[in-house]
Amino acid sequence: MASRSEEARMTMYQIGPMTQSQAELIANTWRYEGLYAFYDMDQDEEDLAEFLDPRAREGNVFTVSQMEDVVGFCSIQTENGEVEIGFGMRPDLTGRGFGQEFVTFLVDYIIKTYHPENISLAVATFNKRAITLYERIGFRLTERFDQQTNGSVYPFIRMVLDVKNLSY
């Protein structure tokens, strides 16, 4: 039986397939401030084209809503008992203390839907705020690597959450 906090978290957000109009809304209007503009969809032409392509999104890119209001998105890739996630939260909601609730909802959803052994993600090394959040949830740094994106090469880290040892 789910605890009261789990039930509240699960009813707070809904996740579903991303529509074309939602993809265009996110790509064309979500703008992050300062160094976080790195995450604006139009910073990388290939990523933008893939995000806007309904065939590329099908089955692995989802919208996260709260009372029918789009508050974020999530991409989910599965391979060999591991789920790799990528996600974004609407810019006006970032830096306001909603991140842990949002990411925990995604983790719970992935565990219940995909039953993975591990959940992994990649994050740019400059994003200390996100790294701290992921560590608080239980993700651990496993690898450092350089990734070509946004017209250059940037340092990233891979973080993994061992689902069987999850205790948040």
Side-chain angles (χ1 to χ4, degrees):
M1 185 166 156
S3 73
R4 189 176 299 222
S5 64
E6 287 174 329
E7 288 173 12
R9 201 168 44 236
M10 294 307 288
T11 58
M12 177 167 282
Y13 297 111
Q14 301 83 43
I15 192 164
M18 182 177 287
T19 66
Q20 187 64 26
S21 62
Q22 290 168 330
E24 290 172 9
L25 173 78
I26 292 167
N28 296 325
T29 66
W30 285 20
R31 298 293 176 259
Y32 298 92
E33 293 187 16
L35 72 147
Y36 298 104
F38 178 86
Y39 294 109
D40 291 353
M41 284 291 171
D42 61 2
Q43 293 297 304
D44 187 285
E45 289 182 27
E46 286 180 33
D47 290 346
L48 176 62
E50 186 174 329
F51 191 79
L52 291 174
D53 181 351
R55 292 179 310 261
R57 285 193 319 270
E58 188 173 349
N60 65 0
V61 179
F62 305 91
T63 301
V64 180
S65 302
Q66 191 173 39
M67 299 188 328
E68 301 192 29
D69 189 23
V70 177
V71 297
F73 66 89
C74 178
S75 68
I76 300 172
Q77 303 288 327
T78 61
E79 188 175 326
N80 300 327
E82 182 169 295
V83 170
E84 183 176 351
I85 61 173
F87 48 86
M89 180 179 268
R90 200 174 67 211
D92 64 309
L93 299 175
T94 62
R96 297 181 47 203
F98 301 125
Q100 185 161 344
E101 183 178 88
F102 180 78
V103 176
T104 301
F105 166 79
L106 294 174
V107 166
D108 289 346
Y109 173 81
I110 288 166
I111 290 169
K112 287 175 174 62
T113 305
Y114 298 92
H115 312 289
E117 295 175 22
N118 298 301
I119 300 172
S120 68
L121 57 81
V123 59
T125 58
F126 77 81
N127 196 344
K128 305 295 187 211
R129 183 170 71 186
I131 293 167
T132 299
L133 166 67
Y134 306 149
E135 288 174 335
R136 222 177 12 246
I137 290 171
F139 284 86
R140 296 292 168 246
L141 186 148
T142 60
E143 176 186 8
R144 294 179 184 276
F145 62 96
D146 291 330
Q147 181 170 313
Q148 185 162 345
T149 187
N150 298 11
S152 191
V153 177
Y154 295 92
F156 275 73
I157 60 172
R158 180 172 185 264
M159 301 182 81
V160 174
L161 177 68
D162 182 352
V163 172
K164 68 182 171 296
N165 292 323
L166 193 58
S167 64
Y168 61 79

